[in-house]
Amino acid sequence: MKYRFIVDPVLCTGCRTCELACAFSHARNLKQGRSRIYPLTHEKDKYVPVVCLQCDDAACVKSCMFDALRRNEETGAIDLDVARCVKCMACIAACPFGCALVDEVHNEIVKCDLCKGDPACAHFCPSKALRYTKIAVR
Amino acid sequence: MRITSAEHLTQLQKEYQKEAAKFPRKILVCLGPGCLAAGSDRIYDAFLNHIAQRNIKGITVEAVKKTGCHGLCTQGPLVTIEPDGLFYTRIQAKGVPEIIEKTLEKNEVITKLLYSTPGKSQKIEKWADIPFYSHQMRIGLRNVGQIDPENIKDYVAVGGYQALAKALTMTPEQVISEVKTSGLRGRGGAGFPTGKKWETCRKVDSDIRYVICNGDEGDPGAFMDRCIMEGDPHSVLEGMIICAHAVGSISGYIYVREEYPLAILNLQKAIEAAREFGLLGKNILGSGLNFDIKISRGGGAFVCGESSALMRSVAGEVGEPRAKYIRSVIKGLHDKPTVLNNVESFATVPVIINEGGKKFASIGTPRSTGTKAFSLAGKINNTGLIEVPMGISLREIIFDIGGGIPDGRKFKAVQTGGPSGGCLPESKLDLPVDFDSLTEAGSMMGSGGMIIMDDRTCMVDVAKYFLGFLVEESCGKCVPCREGLYQLHALCVRITEGKGEPGDLELMEKLSKYIQLGSLCGLGQSGPNPFMSTLEHFREEYEAHINHKKCPAGVCRALIKYEIIDACTGCLACIPVCPVGAITGEKKKKHFINQAICDQCGSCYAVCQFDAIEVK
Amino acid sequence: MVTITINGKAVQANEGEMLLAAIRRQGIDTPALCHHDAIEPCGSCRLCMVEITKKEWEGWTRSVTSCLYPVEPGLIVSTHTPQLLELRKTILELYLARSSQSEVIQKMAEDYGITHSSFPVIPDGDDCIMCYACTRICEELGCFAISAVDRGHDKKVSGPLRQPPPDCIGCLSCAHICPTGFIKWQDLDSTRTIWERQFELLSCRTCGKRTITRDFAEYLMKKRNLPAAYFELCDDCKRTETAKTMGKIVVAAQEVLK
């Protein structure tokens, strides 16, 4: 059994609570961080929360020449080891979903880390469009 | 032809000895570095030509042999005539017919070519009677100057490869235990026990082990390894093959600096000959041992004599040291266990196997056994290559063997251990030469270069020279060595320029301490030694430079002036040699140096025959 | 797990890791300029040196670079002995003499109470502290475009034979990893200039935003088998595309379920 992060756009109301939750859960020095999740609208009143899908065969992991992106077997997230990152931007260019991001304030690469096993977005999502649940993984 | 067994080797040895006995009289022409520079190759050719032209009974061209260094380089070119032991010095090519005519045909001795002790008129006929040779004991250099290095038959005839044959009958453990018994310590300078090194290497679990011979002799004024590689390459190969058997290696390298083209050539010829004779390659002497040697040529960087830098260089990387928290004997070349020994160490191994470790251990001192080769350079009468038992005093080396200081000058200091070594003053002359005593005295054994200095040497200048050498040769990887030695050198230059300030010495001492503590490899850790040892023994000289702006030895140009005294005869000799035209004067009248123009080059001082120019 | 003692406190360290990692995990500030997790340690800056000993060493101590020394059971480590502090000060003064203009060095020296170097300032000194971080990251990348050339005090990082490096792909890893910010680069329109070479920057097909250099993208495609299509858009536009695609799928799924 493994945890999986589930995005259900049908339930998304576009309230953007997830964005706030993400920014504050990644706060640094009491200042909000860069949100890793984007509730984007694709049609009027229809929303898709775009967030890292933690792909199995992830392009970001493949593109990182310095092994800074690695799967965290506990949470299932692909974690960025900031100490190994040299900001070459390969992951940002390679991610087909645009979910590896630059935090211009701290001059860092950031990506969703599933809040180390307790995703704040899922925690606060009022409509349960974002869920972090146990599912059977082959 | 392949030698298939130990018996076959002995049979060949007898055959070659018989062959050699056909020419009872041998003419050994020294083709060592010193004599070669003085034109001994032309002398060799002259002997060949003239002997071929004449028909002398019992002397044919085969009797003329080119050999490695005879040792007494300052008297070169040298020729020894065996078995008489006749020793001719300073020979010129045009003098060769005379030697053939008189000595070879009529058995007459040519007195003018004989050696005489400096300061004495008595001529010495035989080399064995010359103090330079009679005080020596040759183990590593046993064949250098005796055999033709390019001819493997010569080496086999003097018992070469017999030690290998003997070692192959022993188990690797027995070989290692023999080397351990001998107490042989690495001749490269650090003095690590060789047997222990081999044992550690053998015990490491690995599929491949390497044997490397360190022939990257970078110390200024050192040429012992060069002479062994040029003069007796087979002894190095034999030592390496024995080592390969002991540690279980199939692949070896000899790392030689590119500046030694003759050494590379002779080693290459030796390796090819050894392969042809089945002494290298598969199934050596029918014992099942497989081992081959490649030559790896270095670019002449001093730091590549350091083990980890050397191994990186052999592997084709940039020759920079790496931190050695895991020793190279466990993780060396290509991260495999590697035995790295000096040329001299390998050349000594066959003797240990042949004669037994106990006999070797009986020579020298208990903690530094055997003999050590040194090269004497600098202000000494008998510049050259020597080998002496450990524990001999510096005084014996310098005065008995080296013949003392030329021109009746006073001994001031001896620099041992190369650039990273130290200078020892007269009070340390009775120090026994062994690894521990020298280290204790603030110098080190090093690879064996000895530079002797007389009272006209400025110790600050010496420190400046060696520091400058180290600044040039530092690989530049770690800060204390790259920046620290640079600053130490800069401060030294400042002192010699008369711009030293009070407090400089304290700053330099502090800096030296942290260079030693903080550097990555041996080069940096021992880098401040030239400064530290000269400061320890000659502090007053530094103080004179800084406080009184004087150079007591009269060397540092910014702190001296040349003056003409009343002894001047007015010979006009000094006027044309002055490059800046500072000297004026008329014939038979005392000349005068214009101090405003003079740039203290010393040309006038060198040319004056009446000691009328004084350094102040 | 291995138990070692750092400054009198027994701590746990992971087997095989270097001392520096264990020390930093304890929140002890050990300075280091040449260390970076992405590259092999090389021990050139000498600032992270610590004093080690063991009970059985009978009082004998040894100073080692903690970035290169693997943890061993029973190791007793001191990170701030008076001697080490003096060593760091001396090294910082040496740095300050060469790179007097570098803010990173100035700041670090200030932390150790040094405002000026006792040594003469080197007139042609620059901010390069020869920490090899750039060359090591380039090796890690697999390009080997730049290396240290020459030796001793004249050593410089450059392409082969002091020429612009032909194998450079303009990824900027070296510039970003440089602790003193000495490696200069410039992005102008669609051209990136670094190591005296010019590279074409890819532009987003939709919005025109510049991403990485074409050489770098091609290198990644080849080395890591990534499709060229991944590199056509910028991250912003890729997110918009993702939203559109996912939205379409959702709509289609809803249609089917109806």
Side-chain angles (χ1 to χ4, degrees):
Chain A
M1 292 293 268
K2 259 189 178 175
Y3 280 97
R4 268 286 155 110
F5 188 71
I6 297 166
V7 180
D8 193 346
V10 181
L11 298 177
C12 180
T13 61
C15 70
R16 303 184 73 172
T17 308
C18 52
E19 213 175 340
L20 266 178
C22 183
F24 278 103
S25 77
H26 293 99
R28 225 193 275 178
N29 302 334
L30 299 178
K31 277 183 201 151
Q32 69 207 64
R34 186 172 198 318
S35 168
R36 278 85 160 144
I37 187 162
Y38 285 81
L40 294 177
T41 163
H42 61 100
E43 236 174 75
K44 193 168 182 292
D45 291 339
K46 290 199 171 159
Y47 295 91
V48 173
V50 177
V51 67
C52 174
L53 302 171
Q54 320 292 357
C55 318
D56 278 346
D57 186 21
C60 59
V61 175
K62 276 176 149 184
S63 73
C64 185
M65 305 301 289
F66 311 117
D67 225 5
L69 288 158
R70 267 181 271 183
R71 173 85 57 190
N72 183 335
E73 292 300 333
E74 264 172 46
T75 62
I78 293 166
D79 277 353
L80 173 77
D81 184 350
V82 180
R84 291 184 74 92
C85 174
V86 293
K87 305 182 235 2
C88 67
M89 311 277 171
C91 49
I92 291 169
C95 176
F97 307 109
C99 287
L101 311 158
V102 188
D103 178 351
E104 271 103 0
V105 179
H106 298 104
N107 190 23
E108 260 177 25
I109 307 294
V110 292
K111 75 170 285 303
C112 173
D113 58 351
L114 295 177
C115 295
K116 311 227 167 2
D118 181 19
C121 50
H123 200 82
F124 288 101
C125 181
S127 59
K128 299 282 173 250
L130 300 166
R131 298 191 295 274
Y132 187 62
T133 46
K134 246 179 203 171
I135 58 157
V137 179
R138 266 177 292 141
Chain B
M1 180 193 50
R2 280 186 71 86
I3 305 177
T4 48
S5 66
E7 293 76 46
H8 189 186
L9 179 72
T10 315
Q11 186 196 328
L12 272 181
Q13 185 191 353
K14 281 182 187 148
E15 208 174 286
Y16 294 149
Q17 279 171 345
K18 220 179 272 170
E19 233 170 79
K22 284 186 204 155
F23 315 105
R25 225 153 176 218
K26 282 186 294 183
I27 301 135
L28 306 177
V29 184
C30 173
L31 261 83
C35 294
L36 200 56
S40 63
D41 50 341
R42 288 197 299 275
I43 293 165
Y44 175 71
D45 291 341
F47 268 110
L48 287 186
N49 287 338
H50 287 289
I51 289 175
Q53 279 165 20
R54 285 160 191 251
N55 196 3
I56 312 160
K57 199 174 156 257
I59 305 271
T60 56
V61 283
E62 282 90 349
V64 187
K65 279 190 186 298
K66 46 180 170 183
T67 70
C69 183
H70 285 183
L72 195 50
C73 305
T74 184
Q75 299 287 335
L78 304 169
V79 166
T80 313
I81 294 161
E82 297 285 8
D84 327 22
L86 206 58
F87 189 70
Y88 282 159
T89 62
R90 296 187 199 269
I91 297 170
Q92 287 176 320
K94 62 181 185 218
V96 170
E98 192 188 348
I99 299 176
I100 294 173
E101 212 172 277
K102 288 191 178 161
T103 311
L104 295 184
E105 278 184 321
K106 299 179 191 151
N107 270 330
E108 282 171 25
V109 174
I110 305 166
T111 325
K112 67 173 184 207
L113 293 177
L114 290 177
Y115 172 85
S116 63
T117 318
K120 286 177 194 158
S121 55
Q122 190 211 346
K123 299 276 182 185
I124 303 171
E125 255 180 51
K126 296 188 176 170
W127 63 266
D129 298 333
I130 300 171
F132 179 80
Y133 288 104
S134 59
H135 285 76
Q136 289 192 45
M137 181 187 237
R138 294 193 157 205
I139 291 179
L141 301 172
R142 60 195 178 280
N143 298 323
V144 179
Q146 308 287 326
I147 61 167
D148 181 354
E150 292 174 26
N151 193 345
I152 190 172
K153 292 179 182 175
D154 268 30
Y155 187 67
V156 172
V158 295
Y161 290 111
Q162 288 293 348
L164 173 65
K166 187 178 170 192
L168 290 175
T169 63
M170 299 155 73
T171 64
E173 286 76 17
Q174 281 170 333
V175 175
I176 290 174
S177 126
E178 200 65 57
V179 176
K180 278 177 91 176
T181 312
S182 76
L184 177 68
R185 291 173 71 173
R187 278 359 187 191
F192 192 84
T194 305
K196 211 171 147 190
K197 194 186 271 180
W198 292 13
E199 193 178 35
T200 317
C201 183
R202 183 167 181 83
K203 280 184 182 161
V204 182
D205 184 35
S206 173
D207 49 344
I208 297 173
R209 294 183 187 83
Y210 292 103
V211 174
I212 305 182
C213 172
N214 184 350
D216 189 75
E217 193 177 35
D219 299 3
F223 47 89
M224 301 78 50
D225 294 349
R226 172 184 190 163
C227 289
I228 295 175
M229 287 188 286
E230 285 180 6
D232 191 15
H234 283 287
S235 67
V236 183
L237 301 189
E238 191 179 356
M240 286 179 75
I241 304 166
I242 293 171
C243 175
H245 169 59
V247 302
S249 162
I250 56 161
S251 176
Y253 291 89
I254 305 180
Y255 188 83
V256 196
R257 54 194 350 238
E258 190 69 47
E259 282 94 329
Y260 287 177
L262 188 59
I264 294 171
L265 200 70
N266 284 2
L267 280 169
Q268 194 60 53
K269 279 181 189 162
I271 290 173
E272 275 158 24
R275 278 191 196 134
E276 204 192 312
F277 273 59
L279 296 160
L280 278 177
K282 295 252 170 348
N283 195 14
I284 293 168
L285 289 181
S287 69
L289 173 70
N290 302 328
F291 182 66
D292 208 348
I293 297 173
K294 284 193 200 96
I295 293 179
S296 181
R297 296 192 287 182
F302 181 64
V303 73
C304 284
E306 199 273 347
S307 64
S308 61
L310 185 147
M311 284 172 202
R312 285 187 63 160
S313 180
V314 170
E317 294 172 47
V318 179
E320 275 174 6
R322 57 178 183 199
K324 282 191 290 191
Y325 301 133
I326 301 168
R327 279 183 292 135
S328 59
V329 67
I330 294 166
K331 217 174 161 186
L333 182 63
H334 305 307
D335 286 343
K336 299 289 179 191
T338 306
V339 165
L340 176 73
N341 274 129
N342 173 263
V343 170
E344 206 187 324
S345 308
F346 278 128
T348 312
V349 168
V351 180
I352 293 171
I353 298 298
N354 263 339
E355 312 266 332
K358 264 197 188 131
K359 192 172 171 195
F360 186 84
S362 66
I363 307 163
T365 66
R367 282 183 50 78
S368 304
T369 55
T371 57
K372 173 83 190 87
F374 289 99
S375 55
L376 300 180
K379 300 288 169 59
I380 189 157
N381 276 317
N382 297 336
T383 310
L385 178 73
I386 61 163
E387 185 168 348
V388 288
M390 294 270 193
I392 190 172
S393 73
L394 279 168
R395 193 181 294 280
E396 271 175 275
I397 292 181
I398 294 164
F399 289 95
D400 297 347
I401 297 174
I405 316 295
D407 306 332
R409 308 293 306 199
K410 215 170 132 323
F411 170 84
K412 183 165 185 179
V414 54
Q415 216 275 351
T416 67
S420 317
C423 292
L424 298 173
E426 197 170 4
S427 60
K428 301 271 178 194
L429 269 187
D430 292 308
L431 208 67
V433 175
D434 61 51
F435 288 103
D436 308 308
S437 306
L438 287 179
T439 311
E440 220 168 275
S443 182
M444 61 187 223
M445 179 73 95
S447 59
M450 261 191 203
I451 299 171
I452 289 95
M453 297 164 221
D454 67 6
D455 56 355
R456 276 180 300 183
T457 316
C458 169
M459 299 318 283
V460 187
D461 191 59
V462 167
K464 184 180 88 176
Y465 166 77
F466 282 113
L467 286 174
F469 176 86
L470 291 169
V471 169
E472 289 246 314
E473 293 295 337
S474 159
C475 81
K477 183 170 181 175
C478 73
V479 188
C481 177
R482 183 184 67 235
E483 303 292 338
L485 286 177
Y486 176 88
Q487 293 288 4
L488 200 59
H489 177 247
L491 286 165
C492 232
V493 170
R494 198 161 95 174
I495 292 174
T496 57
E497 282 172 354
K499 294 173 193 155
E501 287 162 18
D504 274 5
L505 289 182
E506 288 70 25
L507 181 66
M508 287 166 84
E509 272 179 303
K510 187 182 138 198
L511 179 58
S512 300
K513 184 180 159 196
Y514 292 112
I515 294 173
Q516 286 176 331
L517 182 74
S519 290
L520 193 154
C521 81
L523 195 148
Q525 283 158 11
S526 58
N529 278 6
F531 165 72
M532 299 282 269
S533 70
T534 47
L535 184 72
E536 188 189 337
H537 300 301
F538 303 95
R539 195 177 187 106
E540 68 287 347
E541 216 164 305
Y542 279 92
E543 280 164 354
H545 279 76
I546 296 171
N547 301 335
H548 309 297
K549 307 287 177 220
K550 279 264 177 327
C551 177
V555 173
C556 301
R557 278 162 74 165
L559 301 177
I560 54 167
K561 58 179 184 182
Y562 289 96
E563 265 177 23
I564 297 175
I565 54 171
D566 292 341
C568 178
T569 58
C571 70
L572 299 176
C574 55
I575 295 174
V577 301
C578 181
V580 291
I583 308 177
T584 48
E586 286 168 31
K587 207 173 176 183
K588 291 193 177 171
K589 275 186 185 161
K590 186 182 157 190
H591 300 340
F592 172 74
I593 299 177
N594 184 348
Q595 297 297 342
I597 309 176
C598 174
D599 74 345
Q600 293 88 25
C601 72
S603 303
C604 53
Y605 182 75
V607 84
C608 181
Q609 298 189 348
F610 307 98
D611 288 338
I613 297 177
E614 258 192 10
V615 192
K616 281 189 178 161
Chain C
M1 280 295 193
V2 177
T3 309
I4 59 170
T5 311
I6 300 175
N7 291 349
K9 191 178 145 201
V11 299
Q12 296 285 313
N14 300 325
E15 220 155 293
E17 75 175 343
M18 297 295 165
L19 273 179
L20 184 65
I23 292 167
R24 288 203 164 160
R25 200 175 306 122
Q26 298 305 314
I28 298 165
D29 176 40
T30 313
L33 281 166
C34 67
H35 176 81
H36 194 281
D37 279 2
I39 44 181
E40 290 284 313
C42 89
S44 83
C45 81
R46 319 305 289 173
L47 285 168
C48 70
M49 281 190 102
V50 295
E51 202 174 274
I52 57 164
T53 185
K54 276 186 181 180
K55 266 209 182 103
E56 60 265 31
W57 289 2
E58 293 168 358
W60 185 69
T61 61
R62 189 175 168 197
S63 298
V64 297
T65 40
S66 58
C67 66
L68 272 168
Y69 200 91
V71 291
E72 285 170 19
L75 215 54
I76 302 165
V77 186
S78 317
T79 60
H80 284 72
T81 64
Q83 178 162 279
L84 288 171
L85 288 177
E86 277 302 312
L87 172 71
R88 285 184 199 139
K89 279 185 190 174
T90 310
I91 290 171
L92 285 169
E93 282 193 43
L94 289 170
Y95 272 135
L96 212 50
R98 171 159 172 162
S99 314
S100 53
Q101 302 303 315
S102 166
E103 281 170 25
V104 178
I105 302 289
Q106 283 169 355
K107 171 83 185 38
M108 216 172 217
E110 239 167 67
D111 291 347
Y112 276 79
I114 299 161
T115 48
H116 76 286
S117 178
S118 334
F119 307 108
V121 171
I122 296 166
D124 58 346
D126 50 33
D127 283 2
C128 178
I129 55 164
M130 285 305 307
C131 66
Y132 291 65
C134 48
T135 67
R136 283 179 288 154
I137 199 80
C138 201
E139 276 174 33
E140 195 71 32
L141 189 73
C143 279
F144 300 89
I146 49 170
S147 64
V149 295
D150 234 320
R151 69 175 175 230
H153 208 256
D154 302 327
K155 205 160 204 174
K156 260 195 163 58
V157 173
S158 119
L161 308 169
R162 293 193 176 231
Q163 298 293 312
D167 293 337
C168 180
I169 53 173
C171 69
L172 294 193
S173 297
C174 51
H176 288 310
I177 204 170
C178 178
T180 58
F182 175 67
I183 300 171
K184 296 283 179 284
W185 55 280
Q186 195 185 27
D187 281 0
L188 207 70
D189 295 332
S190 64
T191 314
R192 170 173 290 170
T193 314
I194 186 167
W195 294 114
E196 296 168 45
R197 272 196 61 193
Q198 297 193 324
F199 298 91
E200 185 204 340
L201 282 168
L202 292 177
S203 306
C204 174
R205 203 184 51 204
T206 315
C207 71
K209 185 175 153 185
R210 318 275 182 219
T211 55
I212 56 174
T213 63
R214 182 175 296 280
D215 288 349
F216 190 24
E218 278 167 5
Y219 184 79
L220 290 172
M221 288 177 219
K222 199 176 98 211
K223 280 262 167 171
R224 294 294 164 96
N225 202 17
L226 291 165
Y230 284 8
F231 298 93
E232 281 174 3
L233 296 176
C234 71
D235 58 324
D236 296 332
C237 297
K238 280 197 271 197
R239 280 195 298 275
T240 317
E241 283 293 307
T242 308
K244 275 186 196 160
T245 318
M246 279 176 82
K248 268 184 208 157
I249 295 169
V250 170
V251 171
Q254 276 174 327
E255 290 292 318
V256 171
L257 288 172
K258 261 180 199 167

